[in-house]
Amino acid sequence: MPQTIHRGIKALIDEANAEIETLSAADAIEAAKSDDVVIVDIRDPREIEREGRIPGAFSCTRGMLEFWIDPASPYAKPIFQQEKKFIFHCAGGMRSALAAKTAQDMGLKPVAHMGGGFAAWRDAGGPVEKLEPKQPR
C-alpha cells in the first residue's frame, strides 16, 4: 500500500525559504571574505570530491548537522560554537534551505543559505578548489 505524504519536499523547502535568509551566490562570495563567516558545505563527500569545494568551507554532511551543532551532543563540533554567521550550501539550494532552517530552529544564529547552491557559486565565478580523489583501500 502506498504512503500518503501530507507535507512533501516542495512544501518543506517553501516553508524553510519563507523563514530563513537566502543569499545570492554573489553575496555569498563577498561574505566568504569575512573572518566572521563560516561557509558550511552539507553535500555528500562524493559530491565534493567530484565537483570541488569552496576554499575554506567547513564540510558537514546533512545527516550529522543536528549532532554537530548541539553542544550537548557527544558529536558537537567547536566550529558551531563560535560567534559567526553560518552560510549553508548544497549542490542546488534545496538541502541547504532545510539545513539552515533546522540550524535556525535549534538556535544557531545568524544563519543563511546560498540560493542555487554550489552550482550558482561556480557559475558566479566563485573560487573552487579541486580535491585529489581518495585512493581505494
Side-chain angles (χ1 to χ4, degrees):
M1 177 182 312
Q3 297 289 327
T4 302
I5 302 301
H6 299 285
R7 283 178 58 224
I9 193 68
K10 182 177 180 342
L12 292 171
I13 293 168
D14 288 347
E15 290 167 14
N17 279 320
E19 295 183 32
I20 60 172
E21 178 184 4
T22 300
L23 297 177
S24 68
D27 288 341
I29 290 167
E30 190 60 33
K33 297 174 184 174
S34 171
D35 290 337
D36 293 329
V37 168
V38 176
I39 303 293
V40 182
D41 188 338
I42 62 163
R43 295 176 299 154
D44 181 272
R46 290 174 297 244
E47 292 176 277
I48 296 170
E49 186 175 299
R50 183 177 60 243
E51 302 294 327
R53 69 183 197 133
I54 295 171
F58 178 73
S59 180
C60 173
T61 61
R62 178 68 187 91
M64 290 304 293
L65 182 66
E66 294 86 345
F67 298 96
W68 286 10
I69 289 174
D70 185 352
S73 165
Y75 303 104
K77 296 290 184 188
I79 196 162
F80 287 115
Q81 310 315 311
Q82 299 180 55
E83 293 293 325
K84 298 197 178 216
K85 180 171 188 168
F86 297 89
I87 302 173
F88 293 86
H89 84 85
C90 60
M94 293 188 289
R95 289 173 289 174
S96 60
L98 297 174
K101 168 103 170 42
T102 296
Q104 183 171 283
D105 287 350
M106 291 179 73
L108 190 68
K109 62 185 176 184
V111 302
H113 97 108
M114 181 172 51
F118 183 76
W121 172 281
R122 184 186 57 229
D123 293 347
V128 173
E129 178 178 81
K130 285 296 203 178
L131 301 179
E132 292 297 320
K134 296 221 187 302
Q135 298 302 316
R137 295 179 190 200

